[in-house]
Amino acid sequence: MSCSCCHHDEDEKDEKAACAACADEEDEEDDDGEEPAVLTRRIIAAAVLLIVAVIVQRLTSLPLWAQLLLFLPSYVVSGGSVIAEAAESVAHGHPFDEDFLMSIATIGALLIGFVPGGEPQFAEAVFVMLFFQVGELFEGIAEGNSKRSIKELLDIRPDTANVERNGQITTVDPNTVQVGEVILVRPGEKIPLDGTVIEGTSSLDARAITGESVPRSVTTGQDAFSGCVNLSGVLRLRVSKGFGESTASTIIDLVKNAGSNKSYSEKFIKRFARVYTPIVVYLAIAVAVLPPLASGDFAGTFATWLLRALTFLVVSCPCALVLSVPLTFFGGIGSASKYGILVKGSNYLEALAKTQTVVFDKTGTLTKGVFKVTTVHPSRLSEEQLLHLAAHVEHNSTHPIAAALRDAYPSGNDGCTVTDVTEEAGRGVLATVNGHRVAVGNDRLMDEVGAIWEGCHTAVGTIVHVAVDGEYVGHIHISDEVKDDAREAISSIKAEGVRRCVMLTGDRKAAAAGVARDLGLDEYHAELLPAGKVEQVERLLSEREGGATLAFVGDGINDAPVLARADVGIAMGAMGSDAAIEAADVVLMDDKPSKIAVAVRIARRTIRIACQNIVFAIAVKIAILCLAVVGLAPMWLAVFGDVGVMVLCVLNSTRVLRQ
């Protein structure tokens, strides 16, 4: 096992390391199960051989070459794999990695006793290599824990599906099931593919998707998503998405690819390592050669300065940084995933940690988005006729308000002819119904068609006006309900240090003002077209201070332009929505805005732990490097400066998993 932390192909290696949990589960089980055990046995064997060698050395007066042979077995057992990795790196033209540095330093320590004026360092050389392997063991255990944490999330896609074919239930690979086929899901089984329930009632454990422990009830006509566990009744589902497009597959692909979007901290550490490591190698050579040359007694002082140079090499490798910082971000993404928060990359996690302004869409984000017709105020028609016209005009619209109108007048097949349907964003819909031009929308649409509309001061909600051939015929009041945890979400977000919470909506000012007042928002802007939302976000972006970022929270479909423009786009309630996952940088798999505060908290803790590792590792290494140059750093201190710091930083990184 080798980190190869200073290799020039480290981008590729880091991505492979970060996503190893997702690549091949069987291989991963082998790596996580066997390699630490093998390494542990090797460390124990090398330690026993080292103790025996030290005892024999103390009890006998062996010549120098015999002492070397005495310590070689323990050195080979502890460092054979490291030397092999170093040789491979050199063969590929990339010598500046940790294996190479450790090999040169320890081989030099073994041979320094043969240099005139040098003292034997056999036990020290083996000790350095032995503790280097101990550090590798700790790294492997910590990385394995992080991988298993991610694997628990990714273990949501079953290997089989029970499909109905020719009147028989056949167990097949889910990848072979076609859209439209019917699958059977028994109690205790995971749902293999997204589908609509056509028979049965049950409770579903959606914890792997949403992070919520409370089961969800489903019945005939409702959607059920892959990755959920069927807890009670038998369900028959008609498949709505292929295996590769299912919710579980989409989530798995998203987490797999999260490692490709590196944070600034990770990129900085990589650039730092590429420049830093060759420099310290050349500095070590200078420490070994230049002072003896300057002293005028090269032969007499070379051994002293060579030992300092070897100590310099041991402590110089930036492994603690190159390992711990990506591991911290990887753990942060995994920790967020446990709560149903999917972050597309560590760069977005870093941006989320710097959020000072959160901008919300209203409908479906802060409110439930489930509209109901509450009152009907006709002017020239009956209530039924007014609803009849509005429902026909909105028949093909996907807007939640249109769904409310259709629900209020479900008799769509009454012989009416609807043609020339035109939808105007942010205004409403126009259509020709039985030869009459009908406009259904807000007051701006009424002004556009020349209708003199009437206000409704008693209603708190959305007002839908209706005009026929330019004449106003009445309005319909539709209300939405604020989500149960919306107030908690705003207060929690502010408790995390976010300074500004803003709501943008296309709804009328009275409805927006009521929601903003109830939730304690800092400001709101109503009656906005999609372009108006982008303009408001642009204004808020221009008002940012320093490195602060702006996050926009929306449904991920209608708000795609704003999601793309914000520093961090957060899609709300995106379970089963491919468009939401595609548009956003962070995806909340359930419908709870309170998860935004959780995401910010995890992001900030992740950044805090990464910064702790960076500051601690650099400070300790610089201090020990300076001491090594002046001869005040013994080899054991160099071991702490490399292996000890690496172990402490890696262990600190694992704290991010315990949110």
Side-chain angles (χ1 to χ4, degrees):
M1 179 177 176
S2 172
C3 72
S4 299
C5 66
C6 307
H7 200 290
H8 282 262
D9 291 333
E10 61 195 358
D11 287 338
E12 180 181 351
K13 289 192 174 184
D14 284 346
E15 288 180 22
K16 289 180 180 178
C19 299
C22 319
D24 183 30
E25 294 182 0
E26 293 182 4
D27 290 345
E28 178 194 71
E29 287 175 0
D30 292 340
D31 290 344
D32 290 345
E34 293 183 6
E35 193 164 328
V38 172
L39 192 55
T40 301
R41 289 194 295 269
R42 188 185 304 133
I43 290 170
I44 293 173
V48 171
L49 290 172
L50 175 60
I51 293 171
V52 171
V54 170
I55 292 173
V56 173
Q57 183 191 42
R58 295 286 178 87
L59 296 178
T60 61
S61 299
L62 295 174
L64 207 56
W65 62 268
Q67 293 182 41
L68 174 62
L69 294 177
L70 181 64
F71 283 93
L72 271 181
S74 58
Y75 180 80
V76 171
V77 171
S78 62
S81 61
V82 177
I83 294 174
E85 289 283 348
E88 183 180 347
S89 297
V90 172
H92 287 88
H94 304 294
F96 296 118
D97 64 7
E98 186 172 46
D99 297 312
F100 176 78
L101 298 183
M102 285 295 146
S103 298
I104 294 299
T106 53
I107 290 172
L110 285 174
L111 300 178
I112 196 171
F114 297 93
V115 176
E119 295 183 3
Q121 299 283 333
F122 302 123
E124 288 81 355
V126 179
F127 179 79
V128 169
M129 190 63 80
L130 185 62
F131 269 80
F132 174 65
Q133 293 286 38
V134 171
E136 293 281 276
L137 177 62
F138 272 90
E139 172 205 335
I141 292 172
E143 190 174 277
N145 289 338
S146 295
K147 289 177 182 179
R148 279 189 291 274
S149 174
I150 294 292
K151 185 182 174 183
E152 288 174 4
L153 166 76
L154 301 184
D155 190 23
I156 61 178
R157 190 170 56 183
D159 298 324
T160 60
N162 303 315
V163 62
E164 296 183 4
R165 290 174 179 169
N166 301 321
Q168 301 291 326
I169 302 296
T170 307
T171 301
V172 300
D173 186 331
N175 202 33
T176 65
V177 179
Q178 303 297 315
V179 173
E181 289 193 284
V182 176
I183 59 174
L184 186 74
V185 185
R186 301 182 180 92
E189 294 180 342
K190 292 177 184 175
I191 299 176
L193 299 139
D194 292 6
T196 303
V197 179
I198 60 174
E199 183 180 328
T201 300
S202 183
S203 295
L204 302 181
D205 181 355
R207 189 168 4 188
I209 306 295
T210 66
E212 294 297 322
S213 59
V214 179
R216 297 185 172 202
S217 298
V218 292
T219 187
T220 304
Q222 294 183 328
D223 292 331
F225 300 102
S226 57
C228 297
V229 178
N230 184 18
L231 297 178
S232 50
V234 177
L235 295 176
R236 292 177 68 235
L237 307 177
R238 188 172 304 281
V239 176
S240 58
K241 290 182 181 180
F243 184 67
E245 299 175 348
S246 66
T247 299
S249 296
T250 302
I251 293 172
I252 290 172
D253 291 340
L254 180 60
V255 177
K256 280 183 181 181
N257 296 325
S260 61
N261 296 313
K262 302 295 184 184
S263 67
Y264 172 81
S265 300
E266 290 174 289
K267 292 176 181 177
F268 167 76
I269 292 301
K270 292 184 194 328
R271 291 194 298 267
F272 174 78
R274 288 174 177 172
V275 175
Y276 163 86
T277 307
I279 288 176
V280 295
V281 171
Y282 296 131
L283 284 176
I285 295 172
V287 169
V289 176
L290 295 182
L293 288 175
S295 69
D297 183 14
F298 186 88
T301 59
F302 178 65
T304 300
W305 286 101
L306 177 60
L307 181 59
R308 294 181 183 181
L310 295 176
T311 305
F312 191 92
L313 276 181
V314 170
V315 74
S316 64
C317 186
C319 188
L321 295 175
V322 178
L323 285 175
S324 67
V325 173
L327 185 62
T328 302
F329 282 100
F330 183 54
I333 292 173
S335 182
S337 299
K338 290 181 179 180
Y339 293 90
I341 303 167
L342 303 185
V343 185
K344 288 190 176 181
S346 54
N347 55 334
Y348 301 119
L349 199 67
E350 192 170 50
L352 194 61
K354 300 176 183 177
T355 301
Q356 290 298 328
T357 303
V358 178
V359 183
F360 297 89
D361 176 45
K362 181 177 77 70
T363 305
T365 301
L366 294 174
T367 63
K368 293 181 178 179
V370 180
F371 291 88
K372 291 183 179 180
V373 172
T374 53
T375 57
V376 181
H377 295 161
S379 178
R380 299 173 180 270
L381 306 173
S382 67
E383 290 187 7
E384 182 179 359
Q385 288 174 323
L386 188 64
L387 283 172
H388 164 259
L389 286 174
H392 274 305
V393 171
E394 299 275 8
H395 180 72
N396 294 316
S397 176
T398 59
H399 197 282
I401 289 178
L405 292 170
R406 292 194 297 270
D407 291 341
Y409 189 86
S411 302
N413 299 321
D414 54 5
C416 290
T417 302
V418 182
T419 59
D420 301 327
V421 180
T422 304
E423 186 164 353
E424 297 193 11
R427 290 183 172 83
V429 182
L430 295 98
T432 301
V433 181
N434 293 338
H436 296 280
R437 194 61 174 169
V438 181
V440 179
N442 57 24
D443 50 9
R444 284 176 291 180
L445 183 63
M446 295 299 103
D447 293 338
E448 185 178 308
V449 299
I452 302 174
W453 52 276
E454 300 173 3
C456 186
H457 302 293
T458 60
V460 178
T462 300
I463 302 298
V464 177
H465 299 284
V466 182
V468 178
D469 295 329
E471 281 192 51
Y472 188 72
V473 295
H475 59 262
I476 301 167
H477 174 221
I478 298 176
S479 63
D480 190 8
E481 187 178 350
V482 172
K483 290 182 179 178
D484 297 334
D485 67 332
R487 179 183 290 275
E488 173 197 344
I490 301 302
S491 61
S492 298
I493 289 169
K494 290 186 175 181
E496 291 301 321
V498 175
R499 299 175 184 173
R500 201 173 183 184
C501 290
V502 183
M503 182 179 71
L504 306 179
T505 179
D507 206 348
R508 67 192 187 98
K509 290 183 179 179
V515 172
R517 183 174 56 254
D518 290 344
L519 300 184
L521 295 168
D522 297 303
E523 62 182 276
Y524 70 91
H525 301 275
E527 300 182 7
L528 296 174
L529 299 175
K533 290 185 179 181
V534 176
E535 290 176 3
Q536 288 293 338
V537 168
E538 292 282 2
R539 176 184 63 80
L540 292 168
L541 286 170
S542 67
E543 295 173 359
R544 289 174 303 175
E545 297 179 0
T549 58
L550 178 146
F552 180 85
V553 190
D555 61 15
I557 302 172
N558 298 328
D559 296 310
V562 198
L563 284 167
R565 182 63 189 91
D567 295 316
V568 185
I570 303 176
M572 170 68 65
M575 187 164 69
S577 174
D578 295 335
I581 292 176
E582 182 68 26
D585 306 316
V586 178
V587 181
L588 308 183
M589 297 307 295
D590 61 10
D591 210 30
K592 295 188 174 182
S594 56
K595 288 289 184 69
I596 299 167
V598 177
V600 172
R601 187 180 309 125
I602 291 173
R604 290 186 173 172
R605 189 163 190 258
T606 301
I607 296 299
R608 187 163 58 249
I609 291 174
C611 289
Q612 289 170 359
N613 287 341
I614 292 172
V615 173
F616 174 70
I618 291 178
V620 172
K621 283 188 177 291
I622 289 176
I624 298 178
L625 284 172
C626 294
L627 292 174
V629 171
V630 297
L632 297 178
M635 191 65 77
W636 66 265
L637 186 58
V639 172
F640 172 76
D642 178 42
V643 180
V645 170
M646 181 187 73
V647 170
L648 291 175
C649 287
V650 167
L651 291 177
N652 191 42
S653 297
T654 61
R655 291 173 49 229
V656 78
L657 293 171
R658 299 189 296 273
Q659 296 288 346

